[in-house]
Amino acid sequence: MCVDCNCGQPVFPSLEAPRHLELGQRLLVHNDAQAAANREHFAAAGVRVINLLSSPGSGKTALLERLALELAPSSPAVRHPMAVIVGDLATDNDARRLRAAGVPALQITTGQACHLEAAMVHRALHDLDHLGHPLGGLELLVIENVGNLVCPAAFDLGESQRVVLLSVTEGEDKPLKYPATFHSADVVVISKGDLADACGFDAPQARRHIARVAPRARIVEVSARSGEGIAALLAALGMERVAVAG
């Protein structure tokens, strides 16, 4: 996509040489403007915002359920630790799962759109507010993007951090196959760690592949089922204070 739409995504050696297009504006200028407005809104509210990307079935929702358990306050607090905006082409299954886990969750059903855009997130913020969950009452807002390792990488949503999941069931080579998405990550989470042995997953190899395309990203290995690595993930997200406060 990046060689065709002039979206500004990095071009890797394995891709074809880019074609030069003479454009007065970037094709994503409207999305970028809304993302900048979102980011200002988030900063003013003092909320950390995570854009969570992965392929379908990598364990995004299960990981969020585990984070909700870890961040759940033991006593009533002024600020709710976490809320989630969920993006899917169809159904509200993930949002219902998260609400059952005690997490305020709002579903965005995109229909045919294979990614979330900044304007969608902006509208969802108003809906969360109307449901009694304003930004000012949150510590962490997670945007669970549509399961897709291609298109979501090009769209800034105004997030504080971008987190990309790689499940052990997908194999070690996904970062090399989808370099733009992993290159955009601040944190890469190797998920479903409890299945690594059964899948024959080579974690050191996966780390080398991630480092090749995303040298600045922090890498964390976790298991949502056992809780292993969750403390390290919270540290990578800058959420130690919330975990202790809970």
Side-chain angles (χ1 to χ4, degrees):
M1 182 176 64
C2 60
V3 297
D4 293 324
C5 75
N6 198 36
C7 67
Q9 291 298 300
V11 178
F12 293 86
S14 60
L15 301 178
E16 297 178 0
R19 289 175 289 179
H20 296 284
L21 304 177
E22 295 296 329
L23 298 174
Q25 293 181 321
R26 292 182 63 203
L27 294 179
L28 297 180
V29 65
H30 297 299
N31 183 83
D32 290 347
Q34 182 61 68
N38 288 352
R39 187 169 284 110
E40 291 180 3
H41 194 31
F42 298 147
V47 61
R48 182 178 296 275
V49 181
I50 306 301
N51 185 3
L52 185 60
L53 284 69
S54 80
S55 60
S58 64
K60 293 190 298 297
T61 306
L63 179 62
L64 294 178
E65 288 173 324
R66 186 73 195 201
L67 287 177
L69 179 64
E70 296 293 328
L71 296 175
S74 57
S75 60
V78 175
R79 293 167 73 91
H80 196 286
M82 177 179 168
V84 180
I85 295 172
V86 183
D88 279 307
L89 272 68
T91 82
D92 64 344
N93 292 350
D94 290 349
R96 286 190 287 109
R97 277 180 59 182
L98 291 166
R99 287 194 288 266
V103 182
L106 182 75
Q107 182 76 46
I108 298 176
T109 304
T110 65
Q112 297 301 311
C114 56
H115 58 271
L116 293 179
E117 298 180 10
M120 297 177 182
V121 172
H122 175 72
R123 291 192 293 270
L125 296 177
H126 288 292
D127 292 338
L128 274 175
D129 194 5
H130 292 156
L131 291 173
H133 305 293
L135 281 179
L138 302 175
E139 293 282 358
L140 174 66
L141 174 66
V142 179
I143 303 168
E144 183 183 342
N145 219 310
V146 177
N148 183 349
L149 282 176
V150 184
C151 301
F155 289 83
D156 182 10
L157 303 180
E159 65 266 19
S160 313
Q161 288 177 296
R162 184 169 290 193
V163 178
V164 177
L165 264 63
L166 168 67
S167 75
V168 302
T169 56
E170 297 174 90
E172 304 86 357
D173 62 345
K174 287 298 182 291
L176 302 183
K177 290 184 175 182
Y178 301 94
T181 296
F182 284 88
H183 180 79
S184 73
D186 298 297
V187 179
V188 175
V189 177
I190 299 176
S191 62
K192 302 187 181 181
D194 52 294
L195 299 178
D197 290 341
C199 295
F201 183 76
D202 187 339
Q205 180 75 292
R207 283 177 170 268
R208 287 192 291 271
H209 289 167
I210 294 166
R212 178 176 168 185
V213 299
R216 69 180 181 85
R218 296 183 64 173
I219 304 173
V220 183
E221 298 180 41
V222 306
S223 167
R225 177 175 294 179
S226 70
E228 183 177 0
I230 296 298
L233 176 57
L234 288 172
L237 299 180
M239 297 295 292
E240 304 97 327
R241 181 178 64 81
V242 177
V244 172

